C-alpha cells in the first residue's frame, strides 16, 4: 500500500507540468510486472504522446491480480489483445526475477542515469507485452516494449544525470523505473 501512496504522490507532483498526467485505473487479471527488469535497445523508435523515443524490450514475469494502469496509453481499456498483456504497476513485494525467475523479494534502489551504454532507464508502465510460448522455471514471461529515457509521470525525456527509482539489480542495463521529480 505504501508503494501505491508513493506512486500517487509522485504522479500528483508530476501532474503540475504542462503535459497531462496519467489517467489512473486499477485493472484486474493478468499483467506483466517489469519493476526488476533490465532493458535492451531494439534499434527502433516508439512514439509516446507525440514524442519519439528509442524503443527498448524487457523480459518480465506475468502475474495475476490488481494492478495500476495508465488508461491514456492503453486505449482506455484493461483488456489486452489476444496473446498479449499490459505491463502494469503493482504493490506485489515478492515476484519472479531474472536470471532464474525464482520468486524473490523486491529490493528498491535509486541510481543516476548516464550516457554510457546501458546507463539510461526505461519505462514499461502501461505498454504492450507479447507473452512467450514456453514457461521458464514455471513462470510465464513476456517481452515488453517501451521507451528508453522517458518519464512515466510526464511522458517527457529523462536527461542523463537524473535520479531514478528501480527494483532492478545493480548493473542491470537500462533498468525499468521512474525518474524522481
Amino acid at each position: 500500500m505504501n508503494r501505491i501512496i508513493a506512486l500517487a504522490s509522485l504522479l500528483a507532483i508530476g501532474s503540475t507540468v504542462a503535459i497531462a498526467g496519467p489517467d489512473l485505473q486499477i485493472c484486474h487479471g493478468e499483467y506483466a510486472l517489469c519493476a526488476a527488469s533490465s532493458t535492451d535497445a531494439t534499434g527502433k523508435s516508439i512514439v509516446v504522446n507525440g514524442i519519439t523515443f528509442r524503443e527498448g524490450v524487457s523480459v518480465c514475469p506475468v502475474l495475476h491480480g490488481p494492478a495500476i494502469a495508465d488508461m491514456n496509453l492503453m486505449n482506455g481499456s484493461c483488456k489486452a489483445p489476444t496473446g498479449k498483456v499490459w505491463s502494469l504497476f503493482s504493490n506485489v513485494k515478492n515476484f519472479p526475477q531474472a536470471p532464474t525467475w525464482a520468486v524473490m523479494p523486491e529490493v528498491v534502489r535509486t541510481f543516476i542515469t548516464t550516457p554510457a551504454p546501458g546507463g539510461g532507464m526505461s519505462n514499461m508502465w502501461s505498454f504492450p507485452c507479447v507473452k512467450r510460448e514456453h514457461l521458464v522455471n514455471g513462470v510465464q514471461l513476456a517481452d515488453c516494449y517501451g521507451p528508453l529515457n522517458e518519464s512515466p509521470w510526464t511522458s517527457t525525456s529523462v536527461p542523463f544525470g537524473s535520479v531514478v527509482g528501480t527494483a532492478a539489480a545493480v548493473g542491470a542495463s537500462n533498468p525499468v523505473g521512474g525518474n524522481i521529480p
Side-chain angles (χ1 to χ4, degrees), residues 77-180:
S77 174
C78 292
K79 184 172 171 55
T82 302
K84 296 185 179 184
V85 294
W86 294 110
S87 174
L88 303 178
F89 179 81
S90 172
N91 66 349
V92 173
K93 300 283 188 228
N94 298 288
F95 54 92
Q97 297 176 41
T100 64
W101 300 106
V103 173
M104 300 188 316
E106 173 185 59
V107 178
V108 178
R109 67 180 180 90
T110 61
F111 70 97
I112 297 175
T113 59
T114 71
M121 54 84 62
S122 60
N123 174 21
M124 295 295 155
W125 183 41
S126 297
F127 287 96
C129 307
V130 178
K131 293 194 303 187
R132 291 186 171 186
E133 186 175 333
H134 302 287
L135 302 181
V136 175
N137 196 18
V139 177
Q140 172 73 63
L141 299 175
D143 295 317
C144 299
Y145 296 86
L148 294 172
N149 301 311
E150 182 258 350
S151 172
W153 326 125
T154 62
S155 299
T156 57
S157 182
V158 174
F160 295 121
S162 296
V163 177
V164 173
T166 187
V170 173
S173 178
N174 302 307
V176 174
N179 57 309
I180 299 174

Side-chain angles (χ1 to χ4, degrees), residues 21-109:
D23 177 11
L24 300 179
Q25 180 173 318
I26 302 293
C27 294
H28 298 273
E30 196 173 54
Y31 67 96
L33 180 62
C34 296
S37 295
S38 62
T39 306
D40 294 320
T42 64
K44 298 178 183 177
S45 296
I46 185 170
V47 177
V48 181
N49 294 325
I51 302 172
T52 302
F53 296 91
R54 291 186 317 134
E55 180 186 70
V57 60
S58 297
V59 178
C60 309
V62 176
L63 306 179
H64 295 81
I68 300 173
D70 179 356
M71 292 290 105
N72 291 332
L73 298 172
M74 297 168 45
N75 302 318
S77 174
C78 292
K79 184 172 171 55
T82 302
K84 296 185 179 184
V85 294
W86 294 110
S87 174
L88 303 178
F89 179 81
S90 172
N91 66 349
V92 173
K93 300 283 188 228
N94 298 288
F95 54 92
Q97 297 176 41
T100 64
W101 300 106
V103 173
M104 300 188 316
E106 173 185 59
V107 178
V108 178
R109 67 180 180 90

Side-chain angles (χ1 to χ4, degrees), residues 2-28:
N2 289 340
R3 285 181 43 188
I4 292 173
I5 292 169
L7 173 66
S9 298
L10 285 172
L11 294 173
I13 293 167
S15 67
T16 61
V17 298
I19 294 175
D23 177 11
L24 300 179
Q25 180 173 318
I26 302 293
C27 294
H28 298 273

